[in-house]
């Protein structure tokens, strides 16, 4: 089943002609029929107009921190969600202060939403913020000028594949017995032969792991949240020769991001939150620097999409 990242904005601080400010969508249409969004910088709903995503199908929004380039698009997005058929419950996760921001913005602008909204403010510690029978989402604080979080999205393991060919070779026709064995039930054939379900079902298939970090300097939680992730989305605001600026403003260089990915055993590293000082081919320098440490590195751009393959697909 297809899980996809879609980058609506990949810039840092201020929008530029090439990059809007930060927002990324996690497409879970096959699994849940919805999208999850991470951050919502100014102009995000305009980016949606040029993207194959629908605000009406937005189920959850995870805010990493309360700087404007990650937040200012939220009131408009929430209002537009009503107009675009969004009538299902909507949940917002973020640092303390997100509730006041949302409620004040909607009250002062006299905005009325046609759906139920739940706002969950995070504690400054490692925590599970959401779990159901499909996914677990955990969060942990990072190191930035203000409280900033990273999120780890883990898909729960899926049942192994049924060995249908082997069952057919035993003379078992497709039907109720197939379903029972697939559900893990042992069965007995008319001739008394007993079949153990575990012998006809492959091993559990590990779920996908996606890590999306907010603005941060290199830190322990950046590594723990990223451990063995299939894909890590990490800011790369500066090139390495601007390291002093990264330290001054509590950001990361592309090399910092690559070192985190390498230490955590990440599959693919995707760089985002690119300073407007890096335009056009200059931004490629960030990717090239990161690849000297972590070879499987990509540089995101606005409307860049990346399919996260399951271990079965790989």
């Amino acid at each position: 089943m297809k899980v996809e990242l879609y980058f609506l904005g990949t810039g840092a601080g201020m929008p530029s002609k090439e990059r809007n400010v930060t927002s990324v969508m996690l497409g879970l249409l096959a699994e849940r029929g919805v999208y999850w969004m991470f951050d919502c910088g100014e102009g995000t709903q305009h980016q949606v107009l040029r993207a194959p995503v629908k605000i009406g199908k937005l189920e959850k929004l995870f805010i990493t921190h309360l700087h404007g380039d990650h937040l200012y698009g939220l009131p408009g997005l929430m209002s537009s969600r009503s107009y675009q058929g969004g009538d299902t419950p909507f949940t917002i996760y973020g640092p303390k202060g997100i509730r006041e921001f949302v409620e004040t913005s909607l009250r002062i602008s006299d905005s009325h939403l046609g759906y139920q909204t739940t706002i969950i403010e995070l504690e400054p510690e490692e925590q599970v913020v959401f779990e159901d029978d499909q996914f677990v989402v955990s969060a942990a604080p990072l190191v930035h000028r203000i409280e900033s979080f990273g999120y780890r999205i883990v898909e729960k393991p899926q049942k192994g594949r049924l060995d249908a060919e082997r069952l057919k070779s035993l003379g078992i026709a497709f039907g109720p017995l197939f379903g029972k064995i697939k559900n893990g039930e042992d069965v007995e054939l008319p001739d008394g032969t007993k079949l153990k379900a575990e012998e006809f079902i492959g091993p559990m298939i590990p779920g996908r792991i996606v890590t999306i970090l907010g603005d941060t300097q290199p830190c322990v939680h950046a590594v723990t949240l990223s451990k063995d992730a299939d894909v890590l989305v990490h800011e790369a605001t500066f090139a390495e020769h601007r390291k002093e600026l990264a330290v001054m403003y509590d950001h990361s260089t592309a090399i910092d991001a690559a070192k985190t990915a390498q230490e955590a055993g990440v599959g693919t590293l995707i760089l985002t939150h690119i300073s407007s000082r890096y335009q056009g081919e200059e931004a490629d320098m960030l990717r090239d620097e990161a690849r000297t440490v972590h070879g499987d590195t990509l540089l995101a751009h606005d409307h860049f999409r990346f399919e996260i393959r399951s271990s079965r697909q790989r």
Side-chain angles (χ1 to χ4, degrees):
M1 294 184 286
K2 190 173 182 179
V3 175
E4 183 181 74
L5 287 169
Y6 192 96
F7 289 80
L8 294 167
T10 57
M14 296 184 297
S16 68
K17 291 181 179 180
E18 291 189 359
R19 298 177 184 274
N20 197 53
V21 287
T22 300
S23 183
V24 59
M25 297 276 261
L26 180 63
L28 302 172
L29 295 179
E31 286 73 12
R32 309 170 67 87
V34 301
Y35 296 98
W36 290 355
M37 179 181 283
F38 294 80
D39 285 334
C40 186
E42 179 184 359
T44 292
Q45 64 173 317
H46 291 276
Q47 295 291 84
V48 169
L49 296 176
R50 296 185 287 274
V53 298
K54 297 184 182 298
I55 295 177
K57 292 184 177 294
L58 186 59
E59 180 186 40
K60 296 179 181 295
L61 171 61
F62 300 86
I63 296 294
T64 61
H65 63 293
L66 303 184
H67 276 154
D69 57 320
H70 297 254
L71 181 68
Y72 284 167
L74 180 51
L77 180 94
M78 293 181 69
S79 297
S80 294
R81 186 177 185 270
S82 286
Y83 293 115
Q84 296 189 24
D87 56 6
T88 54
F90 179 54
T91 305
I92 301 171
Y93 304 82
K96 288 184 178 179
I98 185 64
R99 180 186 305 278
E100 181 182 2
F101 176 83
V102 170
E103 292 179 349
T104 301
S105 299
L106 296 179
R107 176 175 53 80
I108 291 177
S109 62
D110 195 28
S111 298
H112 300 279
L113 306 180
Y115 54 86
Q116 177 186 345
T117 302
T118 301
I119 301 175
I120 298 175
E121 295 191 327
L122 307 182
E123 296 297 327
E125 59 190 27
E126 292 186 71
Q127 62 212 281
V128 172
V129 300
F130 171 77
E131 182 173 7
D132 66 3
D133 59 352
Q134 291 179 300
F135 293 94
V136 179
V137 182
S138 55
L142 304 172
V143 176
H144 193 47
R145 286 180 292 156
I146 64 172
E147 192 170 60
S148 181
F149 286 88
Y151 295 97
R152 177 182 175 89
I153 306 95
V154 178
E155 181 184 32
K156 292 187 174 179
Q158 303 170 35
K159 289 182 179 179
R161 187 186 298 275
L162 180 69
D163 192 345
E165 293 303 318
R166 185 180 171 198
L167 288 173
K168 290 177 182 178
S169 72
L170 296 175
I172 302 173
F174 181 80
L177 290 182
F178 269 64
K180 287 184 177 181
I181 293 174
K182 188 173 183 179
N183 289 330
E185 299 178 39
D186 297 340
V187 300
E188 183 174 344
L189 303 182
D191 63 3
T193 302
K194 295 182 179 180
L195 302 181
K196 290 187 175 295
E198 63 184 22
E199 297 178 357
F200 297 90
I201 300 176
M204 294 289 283
I205 301 170
R208 287 159 281 204
I209 302 175
V210 182
T211 300
I212 300 174
L213 302 183
D215 293 359
T216 186
Q217 280 197 27
C219 64
V220 172
H221 282 154
V223 176
T224 56
L225 287 170
S226 306
K227 185 65 176 175
D228 297 327
D230 295 287
V231 58
L232 165 62
V233 179
H234 197 301
E235 68 133 305
T237 309
F238 298 104
E240 191 64 20
H241 73 278
R242 297 283 188 177
K243 177 70 173 179
E244 75 285 352
L245 290 180
V247 173
M248 182 183 303
Y249 295 111
D250 284 338
H251 281 294
S252 292
T253 67
I255 291 289
D256 290 332
K259 287 179 178 178
T260 293
Q262 196 69 4
E263 183 177 351
V266 167
T268 300
L269 168 64
I270 302 180
L271 304 178
T272 188
H273 200 268
I274 309 303
S275 170
S276 59
R277 71 185 69 230
Y278 305 108
Q279 299 288 328
E281 294 182 357
E282 290 182 343
D284 293 340
M285 171 180 59
L286 301 173
R287 178 202 60 210
D288 294 342
E289 284 189 353
R291 283 180 176 174
T292 65
V293 176
H294 188 79
D296 189 356
T297 298
L298 302 175
L299 176 68
H301 55 79
D302 287 13
H303 304 291
F304 170 69
R305 60 201 309 171
F306 180 82
E307 182 178 354
I308 306 162
R309 295 183 178 274
S310 68
S311 59
R312 176 184 292 176
Q313 292 172 315
R314 292 194 295 269

